[in-house]
Amino acid sequence: MTAIVRMITIRLALGLVTLWIVSVVIFISVEFLPGDLAEAVLGQSATEATLQAYRDRLGLERPPLERYLVWLSGAWRGDFGVSLVNGQPISDLIAVRLGNTLFLAAMAAMIAIPLALGLGILAALYRNSWFDKTISVSTLSAISFPEFFVAYILVLLFAINVNLFPALANIGIGTPFGERVYNSVLPALTLTLVITAHMMRMTRAAIINLLARPYIEMARLKGASPSRVILHHALPNAVAPIVNVIALNLGYLITGVVIVEVVFVYPGLGQLLVDSVTRRDVPVVQAACLIFAATFILLNLIADVVAVLSDPRLLHPK
Amino acid sequence: MERGDILLRIRDLKIEGRVEDSWLPILKGINLELRRGEVLGLIGESGAGKSTLGLAAMGFVRDGCRFSGGTVEFEGQELTTAHRSVRRSLRSSDIAYVAQSAAASFNPAHKLVDQYAEFPVLRGRMTQAEARADAAKMYARLQLPDPNGIGFRYPHQVSGGQLQRAMTAMAMSCRPKLIIFDEPTTALDVTTQIEVLAAIREVVAEFGTAAIYVTHDLAIVSQMADRVMVLRYGEMVELAETRQMLTTPTEDYTRSLWAVRSFRAPVKAEAAKGAPLISLRDVTASYGKVDVLSDISIDFHAGRTVAVVGESGSGKSTVARVLTGLLPPRRGEVSFDGAALPKVVDQRSKDQLRHVQMIYQMADTALNPKQRLRKIIGRPLAFYLGLSGRALEDRIRDLLAEIELDPDTFIDRFPSELSGGQKQRVGIARALAADPRFIICDEVTSALDQLVAEGILRLLVNLQNERGLGYMFITHDIATVEAIADDVVVMQHGRVVEAGRKEDVLSPPHEPYTELLLSSVPEMDPDWLTRVLDQRQGARASPILPGST
């Protein structure tokens, strides 16, 4: 167990280093963005004097290193500063949006992960049968279509043809839980269709990959039924690759869902990021990117820990 | 239901295996009867169909194979046409299986005792707690250390020999009437093998379990089996009581199997003279912080074969890694022709590299599967000797002829189109291509059948006589040592225990470890195992050292 704790500690420390590198990269890339916030906010008709006053007020003319250090020390304390556009504290702005994004991600994950695992296991059990082929073809078709196309098809089917769910995910701070779920069904379904194939294929492949192992033949020679061979003898040894793919897809659910958010006008983090880039709201962009990076680092850490916990050879060294 | 009834009756059994689009016969009509409590040995070379027959006795065929005729009756129940669920329900309960590699056949994700308890509990014979208690008893019967605790370990935490006994225990968990042992000791060192053999024999006798014992090793089959069946190309060659089979085999093929162990290289009477070709002086080498070699000194002379023997983990292969420069020693000297050899392979000149070549245990993995023999053998010729064009082609053909493969037939083949013995010959040709003076042979015959292995040994001896090559022969097989070695080095725990001329090392008095190693080598005498165990029992009881008996 101490080995696990040590591993987590080291990985967290490395994660922090990665985050720091990411913060530098983000800061530098934003510096290179063409245009100027003052011009973007005040418009072309602004006089040189007003532009200058605006820049002075926000400290845009100070040396980059100084601005970076100020920003970094703030971010370390959880204070990302204020939005340059509307003057709100970024932490508040992001907290609401991040909450919405996590809610949608959780909802999609709760449908997609059990579905993908179940289908993957069944596909491995009935490999090369019509069932296996049908599952493969349908899930692969689902990811072959662009996300917005899947989204609009779902809207057409479930919001227009049959008026089951709302086409717009209208969610605010005070929306009660049940309504939130109801309003988010279509975006969650879209995301499910997008990520299921990947996880399901990996589950199937990871299990089938093990079926040629001598211990699987041994299980069959001990008289284990096909389902017991898959669930009890193969699956516990296939956890690591499956968990890694799940982590990757969860990361996508949090960081890569801009298009789906736009289609359903879902007030998530992705939309905030896109809006902030167009408005040159640099501090918000930086904060959002940092959160995305942290999400990936954390999810991968969790995946690695689960992989270690699932493998007695790593958990109990000789 | 008493001992002596027919338990298993196989009639005209045929099994086919799919090769690309056609079905080729693996078993061509085997007849077999096994009585309750009887142990039948199945012996043959690889590809003879002995494992297939063993599995067929459980009503099992591997993927890509099928029953194509005949019957397998277990207690009157026909298995080949029975429903899957019928066959499944017999397994564990009535017929159990012990696989060749326990390390690979135990599920790495579950504890030993849980794998033991799986079927007794599933079949409703015991509760989980009863099964665990039973496991401890069975582990004790098989003389596993700490029988109450060992089951709570995972497979990777237990040594190979112990795992093999734990697997035998697991096969016993439902007290089956028949156990199939599929080469259960092939992957073990001789000193471990003898313990496993004794444990298996004892427990099988105690429970009156019938067994089919599949092996390629005659000496082992003669310890374990009441009757022996010799298989070749999927057909029965001969079937007889073990003693009768050993003393008076009736078929030529059986006699040829029996004669394999008689090969002897011409003896070099005198001890090694003059300066050594390559030598290690006080070498200490380590992986990380652990010393795997401690103060080793060995001389290798031109034209002589030094066999390095010892159990796995004794440091044999590490010696080879130090000689080739793959593992630079922490202390000590490696010298070639009297001059110090750079310790790291990167610092050696092309000539220094050329003179020390290797032949590997697994020719399968040592040859690039995507290259034709022309390229595999031609590469060192081009690299070391700068040959090209006509000269290169001629040399490749000469080498193929030298390893007794017809150049016209073989030069454009891929390794996958060769048999195991032919692949190993190509490995030899590749080493020879560099025109070396010293060759390290790392267990080069241990993956081969005895007849094929003998051919390889003959070839190596001939090449040595023609070219004056020095060989280092790493092996754990004493029969190979007797066949080919001039000098012997016995290693244990990274140290040289004993070294000298073969006659001196292999004849008494021995160092205790050498004695243990030598006395563990199975002999083709059905009483050998009993005798050795009695001797060791006696030696433990009395203060006399094993070397003096």
Side-chain angles (χ1 to χ4, degrees), chain B residues 73-292:
Chain B
E73 274 178 34
F74 181 82
E75 294 194 310
Q77 164 78 53
E78 216 287 297
L79 295 184
T80 62
T81 54
H83 190 263
R84 286 195 302 271
S85 60
V86 175
R87 282 184 275 185
R88 272 209 300 273
S89 68
L90 281 178
R91 295 188 192 141
S92 284
S93 306
D94 294 299
I95 314 177
Y97 180 75
V98 175
Q100 174 173 103
S101 165
S105 296
F106 268 116
N107 193 321
H110 302 295
K111 290 173 185 154
L112 292 180
V113 71
D114 291 335
Q115 302 193 49
Y116 182 99
E118 184 178 6
F119 277 84
V121 173
L122 274 183
R123 297 271 154 84
R125 303 215 171 173
M126 302 178 196
T127 64
Q128 183 76 19
E130 284 167 355
R132 287 186 169 184
D134 186 61
K137 272 188 237 157
M138 194 59 82
Y139 291 151
R141 277 216 176 85
L142 285 157
Q143 280 146 35
L144 282 163
D146 184 20
N148 290 309
I150 195 168
F152 294 92
R153 295 196 212 162
Y154 287 94
H156 71 279
Q157 297 170 304
V158 177
S159 75
Q162 292 172 2
L163 271 186
Q164 207 68 49
R165 276 180 276 170
M167 177 158 281
T168 306
M170 182 166 81
M172 279 287 175
S173 63
C174 291
R175 310 292 186 269
K177 295 161 187 154
L178 171 63
I179 299 186
I180 314 295
F181 291 97
D182 194 353
E183 306 243 18
T185 62
T186 305
L188 304 177
D189 285 316
V190 278
T191 45
T192 320
Q193 167 172 279
I194 191 169
E195 294 164 13
V196 175
L197 289 178
I200 289 177
R201 201 171 69 165
E202 206 163 295
V203 78
V204 165
E206 186 179 339
F207 288 95
T209 315
I212 291 180
Y213 198 102
V214 177
T215 178
H216 66 278
D217 191 325
L218 296 159
I220 287 175
V221 87
S222 55
Q223 310 309 313
M224 307 303 283
D226 303 318
R227 283 192 301 158
V228 177
M229 177 186 269
V230 181
L231 285 175
R232 187 187 202 195
Y233 305 142
E235 285 173 298
M236 188 188 84
V237 176
E238 198 172 352
L239 172 68
E241 299 286 322
T242 304
R243 278 171 203 279
Q244 190 190 338
M245 181 75 95
L246 287 172
T247 49
T248 49
T250 55
E251 296 293 319
D252 286 344
Y253 176 69
T254 314
R255 270 196 289 273
S256 77
L257 279 180
W258 269 224
V260 166
R261 289 176 174 245
S262 58
F263 172 69
R264 289 285 180 279
V267 178
K268 299 181 183 69
E270 76 285 7
K273 281 196 298 255
L277 178 64
I278 186 166
S279 67
L280 297 174
R281 279 284 154 271
D282 305 319
V283 164
T284 298
S286 47
Y287 294 121
K289 286 179 183 158
V290 188
D291 279 358
V292 280

Side-chain angles (χ1 to χ4, degrees), chain A residues 213-215 217-226 228 232-234 236-237 310-313 316-318, chain B residues 55 58 60 62-63 88 91-92 97 104-110 115 118-119 122-123 154 156-157 167 170:
Chain A
R213 297 291 172 93
Y215 60 82
E217 182 177 278
M218 190 69 208
R220 294 170 69 194
L221 288 169
K222 280 166 78 181
S225 64
R228 190 170 175 84
H232 187 78
H233 291 275
N237 292 292
S310 78
D311 189 344
R313 281 164 296 189
H316 308 279
K318 286 197 178 185
Chain B
L55 290 170
M58 310 182 73
F60 183 89
R62 291 214 160 104
D63 291 336
R88 272 209 300 273
R91 295 188 192 141
S92 284
Y97 180 75
S105 296
F106 268 116
N107 193 321
H110 302 295
Q115 302 193 49
E118 184 178 6
F119 277 84
L122 274 183
R123 297 271 154 84
Y154 287 94
H156 71 279
Q157 297 170 304
M167 177 158 281
M170 182 166 81

